[in-house]
Amino acid sequence: MENHLLLCILLLIPAFASSDFFVTRVRNIKKRNADNDLVVDGIEISSMKIDSKITSRFAHNVITSQAVNRGNMHKEVFFDVDLPKTAFITNFSMTIDGVTYPGTIKEKEAAKKQYEKAVSRGETAGLVKASGRKTEKFTVSVNIEAASKVTFELTYEELLKRQFGRYEMFIKVKPKQLVKDFEIEVNIFEPQGITELEAEGTFITNELQNTIKKTFSEKKGHISFKPTLDQQRTCANCSQSALDGDFTVRYDVKRTTPDNLQIVNGYFVHFFAPTNLPKLSKNVIFVIDISGSMSGREIEQTREALLKILDDIKEDDFFNFILFGSEVHTWKETLIKATPENLDEARKFVRGIDTRGMTNLHGGIMRGIDMLNTAHEGNLVPKRSASIVIMLTDGQPNVGISNTQEIQEHVKKAIEGKYPLYNLGFGYGVDYNFLEKMALENKGLARRIYPDSDAALQLQGFYEEVSNPMLTDVELNYPENEISDLTRNSFKHFYDGSEIVVAGRLIDNNQNHLTVDVRGEGANDALSYTTQQDAEETAKAFQEQEYIFGEYIERLWAYLTIEQLLEKRIAATGEEKENLTAEALDLSLKYKFVTPLTSMVVTKPEDYDNKDGIADKPIEGIDIFTICVKIHFDVGYLTFFFFLFTLSTVPQVSYLYKSQPTWHTSVDGDPHFIISVPEKEDAICFNINENPGAVLNLITDPVTGITVNGELIGDKRASSDAKTQNTYFGKLGIANKNLDLKLTVTPEKITIQNGNEKTGFTWLDSATLQQEGLTLIINRKRNVVLTMGSGASFVIVLHQVWKKHPLHQDFLGLYTLESDKLSEQTHGLLGQFFHPIDFTILEIHPGSDPKKPDATMIVKNNELTVTRGWQRDYRIDPKHGVDIPCWFVHNNGAGLIDGVHTDYIVSSLF
């Protein structure tokens, strides 16, 4: 890594994995010369500033960072930012020795073509891509000469949402080294006035506590965090940075009236959040998946969360539980009141919930809806009450009606808009697109519950968001002849501590007043409220504001409109979806927002004298690794073959085994995945960007309890002609939680842990180990064969390189035998493709490369732009490989893999 530095600023989205190599290297350093503390791999980060300006909940954030090359040769610097899921990037530039290279926002495919063209010319190019609706990732790298400096500047905007009575902004800070001038500055202006303001950081120590400066009065608030170099250190003599964690700002505004209306330059925004209303009683149906895949920790965490929720249910509420496995079971025949006696009985029922069977999702959700409908029709619940359905599932429907489109239609017809449906998807085995579409069609939302140790808290936290309804059927009505382009103005429920935001345009830009009627149903009677606002009053309120950023209300309107168009687009089809897409794309381009429909490109001019030696680097080389999965389906039997290879130079390894057995699944070489679809006599391939140190979940089978994870390693140092280094699997972890067995394999040793007992071997050993539930065979310097319980068997192959090789190091390959013994609930980057997959190719047309046409692929109800290409299969010829034609899916396999690729990054091997 002599010529590379990874400079990371992560905002909101937490790092899913850290580099053990990096951490170890730093911890082994006892003390450095003070003059060298700021320089890592020849690069000094001289300054880093995060400047946030919040006006009426709309945040305008600028990240500026300057790096200097203190070495005696050119260095490559990476600037990497993960943004809040609600943020839109609006601008980026990099300035190299006084020359500025700005970013341009284009439609996604046009941006990608410009980027690839720049790379082929040998120029450094940066690309901003929206990696799904959950996150946006920005990455750019640049080579700078010795003694040169580069300044990165990134701007993004977001509308802060109110939850639990406060607005909250997260900044996750991770500079990874000491920074001479580090600062976070937040300025807030709220015309209604600020009632509270606080800031805290998970990494803030006693030494750092006094560095957070906070002031607020009336309409203005200010927060500053500017630690000195010594305050950034983890210890007095350490050179590593303590700045690693969340920095959180929270505040709220004064509410002398139920709402606040602001008019600026022909646009308006209306904030509605009444206080001191009596709480509505609620009627809650909990629909819980108890299929076999929920066994173990998942069902334990569900029980834990439900018990906490029962403690929060009010005595005036009504509730019931619906459980679905292969069959559907109910706790009570109808909703019952939350009396102390009934709650005690419910707790006993929850403690006894256990898993069994498959996934009759349709039967479970329809039973819950029918029960709620019957309760309303029979006046078994109060007329003035709020009803909701909360469904939790970790799998896909496979009993009863399993067609997701048919389920959506049945659910929508049964609910008829009467109450919201909230879908919680537990883990990665769910069809999240299906859950989200169904929720949005029924005035609710979907939320992924991550299968971590805090899953119970995630479930409980979601319930708390919807546990206190204050109003139902809220309508904010504006004069139709005076306004246009109105955002959503009808809401099924208003929850305590939240806020409704509506924005729009005035038809007459010279109009300076607006009247709004608000109506809703409360606990005791109907709410009817009228408010008026004059543009001059808004202007007067903002006279003292020193840092209004442009036409902020117009940008707030555009932001909210795009967000809601993209949300509608999820459940739309056909012409409606096309129209929503076109409208959202037009607004994204007009207001320069990076959304899932647009990308930003930063390229150097054609006459730039690029000396970093990447002109001949192949386009595929921009991906750190690629995944290729090959699946064969035979009648009544499933075999799975998974193989990996590199698009750049493959290390010359010594294959020490004499013959290759029939291995159905493998992970090998510099990772690449291909999916073979025999029914189509074709294949699909895709790439994933990740760094050395990342741990990937390859296989997870909750039924057999088997999990396979692999940790990536890189070359010993970066190749001088490579933009990104190759990655391989340097550590594999195979676990069976049902048997409490763990196997850890590295190119140096094999370790078996059975409960608290550990046994270790090296690759120089030849051994056979047999015990209950485990058979392990070590073939000296060749491979390890492992069988766990009645599940699949695994073969781990050792690939050795010349020990004095300047770049490459030993790595591992993983092969799976008897994959048919894994269950239908198997998931992971490999495991999800154990199941059949279908796709359709339409509209084949010339692409940017004459030899590689583009097309539209329909797969998993998604429309993807794909490119025809070739990947190499090393199964038969491990030295040279065989070219396999395939359709290449862009953007980290988005739309093909379940969720996004970062969902498969885990914190550790086990």
Side-chain angles (χ1 to χ4, degrees), residues 71-306:
N72 56 11
M73 61 185 297
H74 67 81
K75 302 282 183 180
E76 188 171 19
V77 182
F78 286 83
F79 179 74
D80 194 352
V81 180
D82 283 305
L83 298 169
K85 63 181 180 180
T86 54
F88 290 155
I89 290 175
T90 63
N91 192 32
F92 173 79
S93 66
M94 57 183 177
T95 301
I96 305 170
D97 293 333
V99 181
T100 298
Y101 305 94
T104 56
I105 294 178
K106 296 188 174 185
E107 189 270 335
K108 186 174 288 292
E109 286 306 311
K112 185 172 179 61
K113 289 177 181 178
Q114 179 181 340
Y115 173 70
E116 292 176 346
K117 183 178 179 181
V119 172
S120 68
R121 290 196 305 261
E123 301 169 4
T124 299
L127 185 62
V128 179
K129 294 186 290 187
S131 57
R133 296 183 70 249
K134 298 291 287 183
T135 61
E136 285 183 350
K137 187 174 183 65
F138 175 87
T139 305
V140 68
S141 68
V142 62
N143 273 272
I144 58 176
E145 296 294 330
S148 292
K149 66 175 65 173
V150 57
T151 300
F152 301 101
E153 184 175 286
L154 176 70
T155 304
Y156 72 94
E157 294 174 346
E158 63 173 326
L159 178 63
L160 303 182
K161 305 293 194 299
R162 187 170 185 255
Q163 285 186 326
F164 306 115
R166 291 188 291 184
Y167 306 97
E168 191 169 78
M169 183 176 71
F170 291 96
I171 300 172
K172 184 158 186 175
V173 184
K174 197 179 182 73
K176 284 195 173 181
Q177 69 183 79
L178 299 176
V179 180
K180 184 177 181 180
D181 183 12
F182 182 93
E183 183 178 10
I184 296 175
E185 184 174 23
V186 181
N187 286 289
I188 304 171
F189 183 85
E190 289 289 348
Q192 292 170 260
I194 299 172
T195 58
E196 59 176 308
L197 175 63
E198 65 179 50
E200 63 183 19
T202 57
F203 56 90
I204 298 297
T205 61
N206 291 334
E207 183 71 18
L208 288 172
Q209 191 64 50
N210 293 331
T211 62
I212 299 179
K213 307 298 182 183
K214 178 188 71 173
T215 60
F216 76 95
S217 61
E218 294 299 325
K219 302 174 184 179
K220 292 183 178 181
H222 179 260
I223 288 172
S224 175
F225 174 63
K226 192 174 182 179
T228 64
L229 275 174
D230 287 341
Q231 289 170 330
Q232 293 178 43
R233 302 177 192 275
T234 53
C235 67
N237 295 323
C238 297
S239 58
Q240 58 263 49
S241 175
L243 306 185
D244 185 0
D246 294 334
F247 188 86
T248 307
V249 176
R250 299 183 183 91
Y251 76 95
D252 200 16
V253 302
K254 293 179 182 178
R255 302 184 191 278
T256 56
T257 60
D259 64 349
N260 178 255
L261 183 62
Q262 300 173 21
I263 306 171
V264 176
N265 295 334
Y267 289 83
F268 71 87
V269 60
H270 188 192
F271 302 104
F272 179 73
T275 56
N276 301 320
L277 292 176
K279 289 182 174 60
L280 279 163
S281 63
K282 62 181 180 293
N283 316 303
V284 189
I285 294 283
F286 297 96
V287 183
I288 308 298
D289 183 348
I290 60 163
S291 60
S293 60
M294 285 283 290
S295 63
R297 187 170 71 163
E298 287 82 357
I299 199 65
E300 292 174 5
Q301 292 172 323
T302 300
R303 288 194 294 260
E304 180 185 346
L306 290 176

Side-chain angles (χ1 to χ4, degrees), residues 563-634:
E563 186 179 59
Q564 293 178 5
L565 288 171
L566 293 173
E567 189 176 88
K568 290 179 182 178
R569 182 173 169 265
I570 293 171
T573 57
E575 185 177 352
E576 181 189 7
K577 184 170 185 176
E578 291 178 5
N579 292 338
L580 291 169
T581 300
E583 189 177 352
L585 176 59
D586 287 346
L587 285 174
S588 298
L589 294 172
K590 178 179 179 180
Y591 290 95
K592 301 187 184 305
F593 286 133
V594 177
T595 71
L597 304 176
T598 57
S599 295
M600 177 183 285
V601 179
V602 180
T603 56
K604 297 179 182 179
E606 292 189 22
D607 59 355
Y608 180 77
D609 184 15
N610 182 32
K611 299 179 180 179
D612 55 12
I614 64 170
D616 297 327
K617 190 174 179 63
I619 293 175
E620 292 87 347
I622 65 175
D623 296 299
I624 292 177
F625 69 91
T626 306
I627 303 176
C628 307
V629 181
K630 189 176 181 68
I631 304 177
H632 299 283
F633 292 97
D634 301 320

Side-chain angles (χ1 to χ4, degrees), residues 498-512:
S498 68
E499 183 175 65
I500 289 173
V501 183
V502 180
R505 298 170 55 179
L506 297 175
I507 294 175
D508 182 0
N509 285 341
N510 297 319
Q511 180 177 332
N512 62 6

